[in-house]
Amino acid sequence: MNIPLKPATRAGEEHLRQMLRLAAAVAFLVAVGLYAAFHVTRLPGLSTQALWFLVVAAAVGGYMAMNIGANDVANNMGPAVGSGAITLGWAILIAAVFEALGAIVAGGEVVGTIKGGIIDTRAFDDPERFTWLMLAALLAGALWLNLATMLGAPVSTTHSIIGAVMGAGIAAGGWGLVNWGTIGSIVASWVISPLMGGVIAAGFLYVIKRTITYQGDMSQAAARMVPLLVALMVWAFGTFMLLKGVSQIMKVSFQVALIGGLAMAVAAYLLLRQPISLAARRLPSSKDSVNALFTWPLVFAAALLSFAHGANDVANAIGPLAAIYEAVASGAVAARAVTPMWIMILGAIGLSVGLALYGRRLILTVGKEITELDRMRAYSIAMAATITVIVAAQLGMPVSTTHVTIGAVFGVGFLRELLKVNYAKMEAVVRAGHQGEDREAVEAYLVRFEAAPVDEKKRMLAEMKRRADAFKHKTALLEPVQQSVPAPFDKKERKAFKKAYKKELVKRSVVMRIVAAWIVTVPATAVLAALLYHLLVDMLSA
């Protein structure tokens, strides 16, 4: 027998879970410190102070990796979870495994320590001052991500570390140390990234609706189109993985990646066309049936995105740590540093631990809080994120995968609003063509109208417009009893209904919260890093 828990009991259990997560996080950071101490004590000729500094820096790097896992991984798993393609527990497990694999297998032997050329490392002739700068930047980025995760705001981890390096660099060497052209391109990407993601996602969703869900026989339409859509996804993800994953191990040009992805797509189409078509024809002609066909493609897409994310964004945590390690170990400042495997492993485990402990909040925010997602919408989001990152990389645009993915979620939500408003207008035309008839006749016609394919809808609308015009010009000739029959819904009722439904499709409060967090990320981490730099200098110089 299940007895409902009282609110106080539920609150107590949630508090206990929070304390257990905090204890696990602290235990992980302590383990990171011990792990780092085991490795750095092997370095010859280092002072006790330098060894302790490296241990602390490693713990801060682990803290940053945890926060990247908690915040950024939601972009890959949120749509798949929100659409019901995969449960939250399985999403966390798959993402943790593939994030770690991506970081270790394809994270690259060389990690650029100054992300995007934000500051000029040649201005530093004092390695000690440089290590303080990088530690301040690493801690500032981690603290900001921690706060954003607590507030339920998915932000760019890349922009967080960029802002932090910029702020600490200004504090250490003045305004002239910063590459302002790079900063300008980053600011421009705040607008470009979500717009590109939103437009592409909305475009894919509209194509799916026109070719499948707006057709009279959805099963037949799905049998034709879903194999093509899956092959297109394989092409995009094959190209993406060759560019963002394999290229970390061996150099792969864009042309080679594109051709390689196309070869994978052709193979996938030939292999999957028959099974998918047969499955589609056996299913009922409904949206739920079509959605079911996108389940496994979404699971694989989420896993591959996690692998690529681990390969690329782990550098936001271990890049600054590698810079600190190189400066302390060699006594010189290097623009790029060879990253020891133990640091790569630290970053990989940190991503997985952060995701497992704190990733749930942001996964649900991306997948459920912004707008309602089904698997067709999640497919469109995954395609938009992949294609936008590929295109932006070839154009040299510094886009954020977070901004692209969230922009894609916004895009499918706003397209749904637009389509609902257009449908309401078409519904008004149908009702106008049925004036004088009872409600049951109107509702029955609307059911037929909604089930009709696109071409049939156009014909029905044209007929209703003619009927409405005829009714308008012959009103005076109608029987008094017909004139007294009210319309099924008056104008005010329809307007109120559309307004309420529009708010439900895209939650404006969540949108504003996320956009505000995007805007303040770079300046917030810059100010915080500058303050931390001065604090570290005062503490360590004493």
Side-chain angles (χ1 to χ4, degrees):
M1 180 177 179
N2 293 324
I3 301 175
L5 295 175
K6 296 181 179 180
T9 304
R10 287 196 295 268
E13 288 191 352
E14 178 58 29
H15 179 70
L16 177 60
R17 283 193 291 267
Q18 290 178 359
M19 295 304 296
L20 290 174
R21 284 194 291 266
L22 179 60
V26 171
F28 169 73
L29 296 180
V30 171
V32 167
L34 295 173
Y35 174 70
F38 173 77
H39 288 279
V40 300
T41 50
R42 299 179 179 183
L43 294 174
L46 288 185
S47 65
T48 302
Q49 183 179 6
L51 291 173
W52 274 108
F53 186 85
L54 283 176
V55 169
V56 172
V60 174
Y63 177 50
M64 178 64 169
M66 282 179 58
N67 283 287
I68 292 173
N71 193 287
D72 221 22
V73 179
N75 305 317
N76 307 327
M77 288 295 172
V81 171
S83 67
I86 189 172
T87 64
L88 181 63
W90 275 107
I92 291 175
L93 177 61
I94 292 172
V97 171
F98 279 86
E99 287 280 337
L101 284 174
I104 295 173
V105 175
E109 294 183 0
V110 179
V111 178
T113 59
I114 310 301
K115 193 74 176 178
I118 298 301
I119 62 174
D120 184 6
T121 57
R122 293 172 298 181
F124 290 94
D125 53 7
D126 182 3
E128 186 175 347
R129 189 162 60 103
F130 176 75
T131 58
W132 294 344
L133 181 159
M134 298 309 295
L135 182 62
L138 198 56
L139 183 57
L143 289 170
W144 172 252
L145 288 175
N146 197 337
L147 176 62
T149 302
M150 290 173 59
L151 296 175
V155 297
S156 170
T157 57
T158 301
H159 289 182
S160 298
I161 196 64
I162 283 174
V165 170
M166 181 186 74
I170 292 172
W175 295 88
L177 200 69
V178 178
N179 184 343
W180 293 106
T182 302
I183 298 298
S185 64
I186 291 168
V187 172
S189 76
W190 293 343
V191 177
I192 296 171
S193 298
L195 281 180
M196 286 181 67
V199 169
I200 294 174
F204 270 104
L205 182 59
Y206 187 70
V207 168
I208 292 173
K209 286 182 174 293
R210 287 291 300 233
T211 58
I212 301 178
T213 61
Y214 288 172
Q215 300 300 312
D217 190 337
M218 293 187 201
S219 297
Q220 290 292 331
R224 292 191 306 270
M225 287 301 301
V226 173
L228 289 172
L229 292 169
V230 171
L232 190 60
M233 173 179 267
V234 172
W235 189 3
F237 274 88
T239 304
F240 181 80
M241 289 301 298
L242 288 171
L243 287 174
K244 294 291 183 178
V246 177
S247 63
Q248 301 285 5
I249 303 172
M250 55 180 288
K251 185 64 177 176
V252 178
S253 67
F254 176 69
Q255 290 77 12
V256 171
L258 202 63
I259 295 171
L262 178 58
M264 296 179 203
V266 171
Y269 179 77
L270 295 175
L271 183 65
L272 299 174
R273 177 183 57 180
Q274 192 70 14
I276 292 177
S277 297
L278 289 174
R281 290 188 174 94
R282 285 196 296 264
L283 294 172
S285 181
S286 67
K287 287 185 179 179
D288 289 340
S289 298
V290 176
N291 269 310
L293 297 173
F294 286 94
T295 299
W296 282 107
L298 281 174
V299 173
F300 282 108
L304 292 176
L305 281 172
S306 294
F307 182 90
H309 178 269
N312 288 273
D313 280 27
V314 71
N316 292 330
I318 65 172
L321 177 58
I324 293 170
Y325 179 83
E326 180 72 15
V328 173
S330 66
V333 177
R336 300 183 70 84
V338 176
T339 306
M341 180 53 68
W342 71 268
I343 292 181
M344 296 293 296
I345 294 173
L346 184 156
I349 297 176
L351 289 176
S352 300
V353 170
L355 170 66
L357 293 179
Y358 296 104
R360 182 178 188 276
R361 173 77 185 275
L362 268 295
I363 288 176
L364 295 178
T365 295
V366 174
K368 294 181 179 293
E369 291 185 16
I370 300 172
T371 191
E372 183 182 345
L373 296 177
D374 60 18
R375 289 163 212 183
M376 290 179 283
R377 296 167 199 152
Y379 167 90
S380 303
I381 292 166
M383 288 294 293
T386 308
I387 292 174
T388 303
V389 171
I390 291 172
V391 172
Q394 298 315 304
L395 296 177
M397 296 167 52
V399 299
S400 162
T401 53
T402 300
H403 292 187
V404 173
T405 303
I406 302 301
V409 176
F410 292 165
V412 298
F414 288 128
L415 175 67
R416 292 178 63 216
E417 286 189 358
L418 177 63
L419 294 176
K420 290 296 180 183
V421 169
N422 287 341
Y423 185 81
K425 291 177 181 178
M426 291 190 291
E427 184 181 275
V429 172
V430 172
R431 294 186 185 283
H434 281 82
Q435 292 187 63
E437 301 182 22
D438 61 31
R439 183 186 293 265
E440 288 185 4
V442 178
E443 298 303 329
Y445 191 89
L446 282 172
V447 170
R448 294 198 303 272
F449 176 77
E450 186 173 4
V454 176
D455 293 340
E456 180 66 12
K457 278 188 172 73
K458 290 180 180 178
R459 188 197 65 76
M460 295 171 74
L461 280 175
E463 175 64 24
M464 287 303 100
K465 286 179 181 178
R466 285 194 294 271
R467 289 185 58 173
D469 290 341
F471 183 89
K472 183 177 181 181
H473 290 98
K474 296 179 181 178
T475 301
L477 302 177
L478 295 175
E479 295 290 335
V481 66
Q482 288 179 309
Q483 292 183 357
S484 67
V485 176
F489 296 104
D490 61 29
K491 185 176 180 181
K492 183 180 290 186
E493 288 174 325
R494 291 198 304 271
K495 186 175 181 180
F497 176 78
K498 285 189 292 183
K499 186 177 180 182
Y501 199 82
K502 185 175 182 180
K503 285 184 178 180
E504 182 185 349
L505 294 184
V506 179
K507 297 179 178 63
R508 266 53 174 180
S509 61
V510 180
V511 173
M512 296 305 296
R513 184 181 76 212
I514 292 172
V515 172
W518 287 357
I519 293 172
V520 302
T521 289
V522 170
T525 53
V527 171
L528 182 58
L531 293 174
L532 288 172
Y533 174 79
H534 287 299
L535 181 63
L536 284 171
V537 169
D538 292 341
M539 288 176 55
L540 297 174
S541 299

